[in-house]
Amino acid sequence: MKRMGRPLAELTAGMPQFPQVMVNVRVRERIDPRQSPAIQAAVRRVEAALGRTGRVVLRASGTEPLIRVMVEGEDEAVVTRHANELAETVRQSVWVAAAELQTRRPAAKIARLSRTAPMAGDGRLDGGEPNA
């Protein structure tokens, strides 16, 4: 801007703006989506479908247990469909839909509370009864 002596709005006027859809997929543990062959195959399929008119970004959040799925392209309906397809692939690959997390928590809690010997970090304050 300074070098050209023109405002940002003027400099970006020739850049097309495409619809962008972001889907956050909650995961139980942080994973790197680049390490999953199923996720990477799905990303390649979407990138091929979009061609040079769009882009795909999948990344783990740095602050939350989320995989962020972003798809950008010319047609909003197509972009939305691809973003949702990729999000579903991520869910299936890491088996962490929110409902599934809730059904797994009680089982984990029961298993933890059924230990007979006190262990460090198992929820017991003084080696006695487990904390509920």
Side-chain angles (χ1 to χ4, degrees), residues 46-67:
V46 170
E47 287 175 335
L50 293 172
R52 299 187 70 177
T53 63
R55 66 185 179 131
V56 175
V57 178
L58 265 75
R59 67 176 190 85
S61 168
T63 58
E64 299 176 84
L66 297 173
I67 300 297

Side-chain angles (χ1 to χ4, degrees), residues 2 27 44 77 82 86 89 97 102 105 128:
K2 186 174 182 178
V27 295
R44 285 190 298 275
H82 286 310
L86 285 173
T89 300
Q102 290 180 354
R105 282 191 180 134

Side-chain angles (χ1 to χ4, degrees), residues 22-44:
M22 173 87 74
V23 179
N24 292 319
V25 180
R26 187 157 300 278
V27 295
R28 191 166 73 154
E29 295 178 8
R30 187 172 177 205
I31 66 154
D32 182 351
R34 295 173 296 183
Q35 301 302 315
S36 167
I39 293 172
Q40 288 308 299
V43 168
R44 285 190 298 275

